[in-house]
């Protein structure tokens, strides 16, 4: 794994405090419901606790109206975008040109030419996205890397560790509404 930033001295303590405060918030919310019996809460850690820790960067290989053919897909890091249709928050990576303020809903097709390599979306991106643009898809959590296969020869082993703000976060009270999908 290539490291692009080395300042992690307080990371584990910070993560522990943040996770614990989330559990306290859940308990408080359940008590506020005033239910006769509290439900059993089950947490899936890969999605709930570390969703923000994983993003993947994809390149647009081809655009056909609202369909983007990208260089990764359901046989790569985006399995959950296909079969269970998890719609990951997405953003265009700026390349210096003017980005349209008009947003459009897109579907994705992966590189394998397999019918399962389809991601319905809607992935909300600027209307003027085109071939060779790069998109960040966030909230992959623990599974993006583990679901990768070498199906039809499409596989990347390039992994970079960066420290930047996630596209969306559950730790910040200010939600970026442009990334929410109903």
């Amino acid at each position: 794994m290539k490291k692009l930033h080395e300042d992690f001295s307080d990371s584990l303590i910070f993560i522990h405090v943040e996770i614990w405060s989330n559990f306290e918030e859940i308990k408080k919310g359940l008590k506020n419901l005033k239910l006769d019996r509290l439900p059993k809460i089950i947490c899936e850690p890969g999605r709930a606790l570390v969703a923000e820790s994983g993003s993947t960067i994809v390149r647009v290989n081809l655009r056909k109206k609202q369909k983007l053919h990208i260089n990764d897909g359901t046989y790569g890091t985006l399995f959950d975008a296909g079969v269970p249709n998890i719609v990951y928050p997405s953003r265009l990576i700026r390349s210096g040109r003017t980005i349209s303020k008009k947003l459009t809903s897109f579907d994705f097709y992966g590189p394998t030419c397999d019918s399962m390599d389809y991601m319905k979306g809607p992935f909300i991106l600027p209307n003027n996205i085109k071939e060779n643009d790069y998109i960040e898809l966030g909230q992959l959590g623990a599974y993006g890397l583990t679901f990768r296969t070498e199906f039809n020869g499409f596989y990347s082993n390039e992994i970079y560790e960066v420290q930047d703000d996630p596209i969306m976060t559950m730790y910040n009270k200010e939600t970026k509404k442009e990334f929410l999908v109903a």
Side-chain angles (χ1 to χ4, degrees), residues 29-42:
L30 285 171
K31 285 179 184 175
N32 288 340
L33 291 175
K34 297 182 171 96
L35 300 172
D36 292 334
R37 280 184 48 202
L38 290 179
K40 182 177 181 181
I41 302 299
I42 300 171

Side-chain angles (χ1 to χ4, degrees), residues 16-181:
H16 175 74
V17 169
E18 287 295 321
I19 291 171
W20 186 255
S21 67
N22 285 328
F23 287 123
E24 293 302 315
E25 192 68 27
I26 291 168
K27 286 181 192 175
K28 182 177 147 188
L30 285 171
K31 285 179 184 175
N32 288 340
L33 291 175
K34 297 182 171 96
L35 300 172
D36 292 334
R37 280 184 48 202
L38 290 179
K40 182 177 181 181
I41 302 299
I42 300 171
C43 177
E44 196 285 298
R47 192 74 58 220
L49 298 179
V50 297
E52 296 175 13
S53 70
S55 284
T56 196
I57 307 296
V58 299
R59 184 185 65 246
V60 177
N61 291 332
L62 179 67
R63 176 178 175 174
K64 289 185 175 180
K65 298 184 180 179
Q66 271 66 35
K67 301 187 183 324
L68 298 178
H69 295 259
I70 59 177
N71 69 329
D72 197 356
T74 61
Y75 292 101
T77 59
L78 300 173
F79 176 82
D80 282 341
V83 180
N85 193 44
I86 293 175
V87 180
Y88 295 116
S90 56
R91 68 175 160 200
L92 180 64
I93 296 176
R94 299 185 179 276
S95 62
R97 67 181 171 87
T98 304
I99 303 299
S100 174
K101 290 186 182 190
K102 182 180 178 191
L103 298 176
T104 301
S105 169
F106 290 95
D107 294 349
F108 292 159
Y109 287 87
T112 66
C113 297
D114 184 83
S115 61
M116 293 278 296
D117 208 359
Y118 168 67
M119 294 139 282
K120 182 180 178 186
F123 298 98
I124 310 300
L125 292 160
N127 188 50
N128 66 339
I129 194 166
K130 61 187 178 75
E131 286 86 359
N132 295 314
D133 280 342
Y134 286 88
I135 302 166
E136 177 184 1
L137 297 162
Q139 307 290 339
L140 270 66
Y143 298 117
L145 291 176
T146 59
F147 282 154
R148 293 177 304 159
T149 71
E150 294 185 36
F151 181 72
N152 274 1
F154 294 97
Y155 183 78
S156 174
N157 212 13
E158 287 189 45
I159 300 168
Y160 296 89
E161 183 175 316
V162 297
Q163 264 194 334
D164 65 348
D165 292 332
I167 295 176
M168 291 177 61
T169 181
M170 62 184 173
Y171 300 112
N172 185 349
K173 301 290 183 204
E174 309 248 343
T175 302
K176 296 178 182 177
K177 291 187 179 14
E178 67 266 26
F179 300 114
L180 297 179
V181 176

